[in-house]
Amino acid sequence: MLDWSFPPGLWEAIGLTLKLAAVSSLALLAIGIPLAHWLTSSRMRGVIVAETLVSLPIVLPPTVIGFYLLVLMSPGQPVGAAWVHVFGQPLPFSFTGLVIGSIIYSLPFAVQPIQAAFRAVRPEMVQTALALGLTRRQVFWSIILPLSKNGVLAGASLSFAHTMGEFGVVLMLGGNIEGQTRVASIALYDEAQQLHYDTAHAYALVLLAISFLILITIAVLQRRQHRMLLGA
Amino acid sequence: MKTLLLTMLGVLALPARAEPLVVAAASDLTYSIGELADAFRKQAPGVELKTSLGSSGNFFAQIKNGAPFHVFLSADMMYPQRLAAEGAADGATLTTYAIGRLALWTLDPRFDLRQGMAVFRDARLARVAIANPQVAPYGMAARAALQHHGVWDAVSGKLVLGENIAQTAQFVQTGNAQVGVVSYATVLAPRLKGVGSYYLVPQAGLAPIEQGAILTARGKGHPAAARFMQFLHSPTARAILQRHGFGLPPAKHA
């Protein structure tokens, strides 16, 4: 049953997948930290709508994201035409296109753990710091963010792992270009379609191993944080 | 109590008595399977017919693993042959029911398809969509046609690969690929007729895209499955397939 071998394209596809996951989760940190902060601290009325939009990709089929991006970004559409005008390259069938799809796809997986960590920071601490004369910005950088380190790490690693397993967005938007958009999940699908179950096994096993490693790292981090909190 | 039990058993037995006939159809039949099904229902009013569309490779794996399909309409001959070799289908029932045709298709008025395959030498082409030659029969045929006309090298760096012929058409339809090599059935589809322009790729020098129909092992036990296989070769079914852009195998005379 487990008769598998490493196909030639495997490491290229795995490398591309890791790169996509890395770039997307870095971008998600840059977007997710301010977004999570705004969502937790804003008293605006519309914040619940924004929060819902952020959570939407959890329930949304990834094919929906891929389909909308494919249609929206087509050169015949205003958004797509504007994109080509500014960046010179159309979004579909490109690595950038996959990164943008992945950012939307993994957004809640980055934002929610960060938001939870921000919420766990005791308000008295923030009040005290403000009373001592720190600006809101200083309070955020020197108190809230360091205290939320584990939540930020969890958000980054969860969005990394979630992007690794992405299939629907790249299927709709990727165009299956070797070295550019053929990520491991698509390559695995191709191998299975070609009845190369042995090479499909290799892809599946490597993906499984990487995902397992990421999740166990998150679990270890969380346990350590828990112990730290208990010790404090 | 006894009556209740009997009623319950009766209800349980109901679906078994009228088991629907389930046909797995390759995605190049997207636009014709509805008409084929309607025509069959007229001939066999007592039979409940259900159809599933998908890629032939997926259906292969599913049928091999016991999926409840009775008839498999593949987009090639290889998948049904493999199923027969593995004992998941009855090799004696394998027939060619249609022959696929390739067409070039564009929505972009800058490209004149009347020049045929020479369009692929146009430097303004950024993206060319074909079905994945590794997994899709139309992709294999598209690659063969591009190679046959000596334009493979010119386009290979511009290719985007659709998972199947329907996705390939979607890349063209959304304007993300300027020209696509799709099935003739696609450009004749009611929703797409008259949209953009197309060019029918000549068959000369190319292997025909023969499409095989086969009864699965499960289908052998279904009373209406053989009837559906016969129906595929009836003048009615052949007329529908032809109208949707398929070539036909020589007529079978009973």
Side-chain angles (χ1 to χ4, degrees):
Chain A
M1 169 71 192
L2 263 176
D3 171 27
W4 51 274
S5 64
F6 291 114
L10 182 122
W11 298 116
E12 187 179 32
I14 296 282
L16 184 69
T17 310
L18 290 172
K19 186 176 140 196
L20 177 65
V23 173
S24 304
S25 44
L26 280 178
L28 275 168
L29 277 187
I31 299 167
I33 290 173
L35 185 58
H37 185 57
W38 179 70
L39 288 176
T40 35
S41 58
S42 172
R43 286 187 181 77
M44 259 175 61
R45 272 183 164 200
V47 81
I48 184 105
V49 178
E51 206 164 330
T52 308
L53 282 175
V54 168
S55 311
L56 208 52
I58 292 180
V59 293
L60 215 54
T63 43
V64 172
I65 301 168
F67 174 70
Y68 274 138
L69 281 176
L70 185 70
V71 173
L72 201 68
M73 287 298 167
S74 88
Q77 295 285 328
V79 183
W83 182 278
V84 174
H85 186 74
V86 176
F87 297 98
Q89 282 285 326
L91 199 59
F93 318 131
S94 70
F95 183 75
T96 318
L98 294 193
V99 170
I100 290 181
S102 308
I103 288 174
I104 302 174
Y105 170 72
S106 295
L107 188 63
F109 292 83
V111 170
Q112 288 190 349
I114 302 177
Q115 230 186 318
F118 286 173
R119 282 210 178 106
V121 175
R122 296 224 297 274
E124 310 91 83
M125 276 172 91
V126 176
Q127 293 309 323
T128 315
L130 287 173
L132 287 171
L134 266 70
T135 64
R136 286 217 168 259
R137 184 177 292 256
Q138 282 169 327
V139 172
F140 178 75
W141 285 108
S142 56
I143 295 172
I144 300 180
L145 196 57
L147 281 175
S148 310
K149 195 184 74 192
N150 282 310
V152 173
L153 272 176
S157 28
L158 268 180
S159 57
F160 187 94
H162 192 234
T163 307
M164 288 250 336
E166 185 180 317
F167 178 70
V169 177
V170 264
L171 186 74
M172 297 295 280
L173 191 66
N176 202 346
I177 303 169
E178 199 179 344
Q180 286 176 54
T181 60
R182 185 181 296 159
V183 297
S185 60
I186 296 287
L188 162 58
Y189 185 74
D190 277 0
E191 296 292 343
Q193 291 267 12
Q194 289 174 74
L195 322 179
H196 299 158
Y197 294 145
D198 47 348
T199 45
H201 270 310
Y203 278 101
L205 199 69
V206 172
L207 282 176
L208 182 69
I210 297 175
S211 306
F212 181 79
L213 280 175
I214 297 170
L215 289 182
I216 206 161
T217 311
I218 299 175
V220 168
L221 281 175
Q222 276 173 346
R223 189 167 287 203
R224 197 185 291 168
Q225 183 193 28
H226 195 64
R227 224 176 277 145
M228 245 169 56
L229 286 177
L230 284 180
Chain B
M1 185 61 204
K2 209 172 179 183
T3 343
L4 184 69
L5 203 71
L6 280 175
T7 319
M8 279 169 67
L9 279 174
V11 169
L12 282 174
L14 263 181
R17 246 195 294 159
E19 194 193 359
L21 177 69
V22 191
V23 174
S27 57
D28 69 329
L29 294 166
T30 303
Y31 310 104
S32 44
I33 191 69
E35 240 178 276
L36 286 171
D38 286 343
F40 179 71
R41 287 187 191 109
K42 254 183 218 155
Q43 289 192 9
V47 181
E48 193 191 342
L49 175 68
K50 290 183 175 177
T51 58
S52 287
L53 282 164
S55 75
S56 305
N58 259 358
F59 283 135
F60 170 87
Q62 289 172 355
I63 292 167
K64 202 182 119 178
N65 291 298
F69 298 116
H70 302 107
V71 176
F72 176 33
L73 304 180
S74 181
D76 68 356
M77 300 300 281
M78 189 270 281
Y79 286 119
Q81 275 162 359
R82 289 277 302 254
L83 276 182
E86 304 215 7
D90 178 7
T93 62
L94 176 63
T95 50
T96 307
Y97 64 95
I99 294 161
R101 310 261 343 241
L102 286 176
L104 309 186
W105 186 38
T106 185
L107 302 188
D108 193 328
R110 290 180 302 159
F111 301 102
D112 183 7
L113 292 186
R114 279 172 301 185
Q115 58 182 311
M117 304 300 273
V119 72
F120 293 114
R121 299 192 192 282
D122 195 320
R124 293 171 303 172
L125 265 182
R127 289 290 180 208
V128 172
I130 69 172
N132 189 346
Q134 307 239 277
V135 300
Y138 278 91
M140 273 172 234
R143 181 174 58 190
L146 290 166
Q147 284 168 340
H148 180 74
H149 289 90
V151 289
W152 176 255
D153 289 337
V155 292
S156 55
K158 301 174 176 177
L159 290 179
V160 286
L161 309 181
E163 203 274 292
N164 53 40
I165 202 63
Q167 202 199 3
T168 310
Q170 187 189 38
F171 287 161
V172 179
Q173 197 184 3
T174 54
N176 285 301
Q178 287 84 45
V179 177
V181 187
V182 298
S183 67
Y184 188 35
T186 307
V187 298
L188 293 186
R191 290 289 305 276
L192 303 175
K193 227 171 186 165
V195 178
S197 57
Y198 74 84
Y199 167 80
L200 188 59
V201 176
Q203 288 264 263
L206 298 169
I209 312 171
E210 285 188 300
Q211 309 203 172
I214 199 165
L215 264 187
T216 67
R218 186 187 283 248
K220 276 182 76 178
H222 196 289
R227 197 165 165 192
F228 186 84
M229 293 288 283
Q230 273 171 3
F231 161 77
L232 279 177
H233 297 280
S234 69
T236 315
R238 286 167 67 90
I240 293 171
L241 286 164
Q242 194 165 34
R243 189 149 27 83
H244 283 276
F246 290 97
L248 297 173
K252 273 204 210 168
H253 294 288

